[in-house]
Amino acid sequence: MNTPTSAARDTVFVVDDSRTAREVVRLHLARLGCEAVALDGGEACLAELTRRTPALILMDLRMERMQGDEVCRRVKAHPAGRNVPVIMFTSAGEPHEVMHCWRAGADDFLPKPVAQEALEAKLSAVRAARERAREGVPRGRRVLLVEGGRFLHTFLGGALEQEGLHVLYARDAEDAARLAGEHGAQLDGFVVDVSRAPREALALASKLREVHARKPLVLLSRAEESADVLARAQSLAGAPLLEKRHLGADELLGRVLARLVPGLNPLRAAERVPFFTVVEFSSAGGATLSGFSHDASPEALFVRTLTPAREGARLSLKVLLAGQRTPCLAEATVAWSNPPRPPGPFRAPAGMGLRLERMDASLTQQFVRFVPRTLGFPLSGSPRVSGF
């Protein structure tokens, strides 16, 4: 049976097959007022998870009997562990290891040896997430996306999230009507795909326009629509229907963003490709914190971290690439920042989108090699996977 975690003394699992490493982290946690549960491997972690739910799991990536990414995958699949933050310890910056942990659902990284200041920042972020449950989603970027097919969920929804929006997904017009009724006061805009069922989608759009007259409404389609549908869409949205067949992925995303958040300078998230590496970042005079990048676009780096810097902050970055002992250096501005929040109806990645402003020669060379510089991917091709 899972025992609720005390708010005054957080329970933290420390999973490492090195007794010395476990003891170092346990002492750090004791100084931070936590109850550290030292576990010597993945099997012990999973067994303990059936008895109680921790506030946080700290886990070494490289363990002999069961690798950390496999343990993380099993934790996230466990009913008691799916919402527990998992932070991986790593002494290496091997991108393939970062990729495995990201796919397993890891929430953050900490470089070894673990510094108490960095650990305290992660723990504070986890504690703050519980308080943030009462605040709700930030105003200004909350969008209802009414899907008309897999494209909207896998491409457009993901790209909107990586541009800093908080997305509420609806399966169809009926589901959208229900969600709009429940969350209408929180929503800042609507995106409706009319291609699957134009009549039902336009009826939904008419209702949304009637109830939310001042909020942006974007209508799009993946098919060739009739003149009647085009005219009705123009009347409801106050702008032409966006037809995917005439637009590249980047241009479609740009037009959707321009209608939802006028004046937003996009990060070109439609053009992002996988880019896995551990990232350390700091602001002027601030502590050095860490996270890991999972994607890059021609102008941005997308970083998952429990401790994102505030929006607008200027950061110095250290990015460790494969085969290099010396990290690459860069400077960036935080375009959007999402500190961790408890699970809710809106989806948004915990972390930050960084607009790159300056990179050293080595990092610039890697971007030129792996990150597309054209406006969107060729329609006949597929995104290139970086060799990082």
Side-chain angles (χ1 to χ4, degrees), residues 16-23 40 60 112:
D16 199 315
D17 56 6
S18 165
R19 179 180 297 179
T20 300
R22 291 197 306 270
E23 181 62 16
D40 64 2
D60 189 29
K112 297 175 72 174

Side-chain angles (χ1 to χ4, degrees), residues 290-373:
S290 61
F292 63 96
S293 69
H294 50 86
D295 283 325
S297 77
E299 296 180 359
L301 199 61
F302 302 91
V303 177
R304 179 178 292 184
T305 177
L306 296 174
T307 53
R310 62 176 175 78
E311 187 172 324
R314 294 180 60 85
L315 301 179
S316 297
L317 310 180
K318 291 183 178 180
V319 180
L320 187 60
L321 302 177
Q324 296 186 353
R325 294 189 176 184
T326 303
C328 298
L329 303 180
E331 295 180 5
T333 297
V334 181
W336 57 261
S337 175
N338 289 333
R341 297 177 180 277
F346 289 86
R347 287 184 51 181
M352 53 188 176
L354 302 180
R355 189 180 307 282
L356 295 168
E357 297 178 346
R358 184 176 302 173
M359 297 183 284
D360 66 15
S362 181
L363 188 57
T364 299
Q365 182 180 20
Q366 298 299 330
F367 263 65
V368 169
R369 182 180 178 188
F370 291 113
V371 182
R373 304 300 300 184

Side-chain angles (χ1 to χ4, degrees), residues 10-202:
D10 291 308
T11 299
V12 179
F13 288 3
V14 182
V15 188
D16 199 315
D17 56 6
S18 165
R19 179 180 297 179
T20 300
R22 291 197 306 270
E23 181 62 16
V24 169
V25 177
R26 188 194 68 78
L27 290 174
H28 284 334
L29 290 169
R31 297 187 189 102
L32 296 173
C34 296
E35 177 190 356
V37 180
L39 302 165
D40 64 2
E43 297 90 344
C45 174
L46 295 170
E48 189 65 24
L49 192 60
T50 65
R51 291 187 281 271
R52 54 178 160 176
T53 301
L56 175 65
I57 297 176
L58 304 172
M59 189 182 318
D60 189 29
L61 174 58
R62 294 181 175 179
M63 296 186 288
E64 290 187 2
R65 295 190 299 275
M66 188 186 301
Q67 288 288 303
D69 60 316
E70 177 59 25
V71 183
C72 180
R73 185 175 291 106
R74 297 191 187 188
V75 166
K76 294 296 185 179
H78 195 289
R82 63 168 58 101
N83 295 325
V84 177
V86 177
I87 298 177
M88 307 298 295
F89 296 145
T90 176
S91 56
E94 291 299 326
H96 70 278
E97 295 182 346
V98 178
M99 178 182 67
H100 291 323
C101 293
W102 177 74
R103 288 178 174 173
D107 297 278
D108 210 337
F109 274 77
L110 274 174
K112 297 175 72 174
V114 178
Q116 182 170 330
E117 185 180 41
L119 181 57
E120 183 177 9
K122 303 297 184 188
L123 182 61
S124 296
V126 171
R127 287 169 169 165
R130 294 196 294 263
E131 299 299 321
R132 208 169 281 117
R134 293 190 281 268
E135 299 176 3
V137 179
R139 298 188 64 84
R141 296 185 179 181
R142 300 164 298 187
V143 177
L144 175 64
L145 179 61
V146 187
E147 302 177 48
R150 188 171 178 80
F151 165 78
L152 246 69
H153 193 107
T154 56
F155 165 71
L156 186 58
L160 291 173
E161 289 182 28
Q162 296 301 332
E163 292 286 0
L165 276 65
H166 296 248
V167 182
L168 180 62
Y169 291 89
R171 297 183 302 274
D172 49 36
E174 183 179 353
D175 190 36
R178 178 184 62 80
L179 292 172
E182 293 176 3
H183 305 284
Q186 294 178 283
L187 289 165
D188 301 300
F190 307 89
V191 180
V192 180
D193 185 354
V194 306
S195 45
R196 178 184 293 174
R199 180 178 299 178
E200 291 82 353
L202 290 174

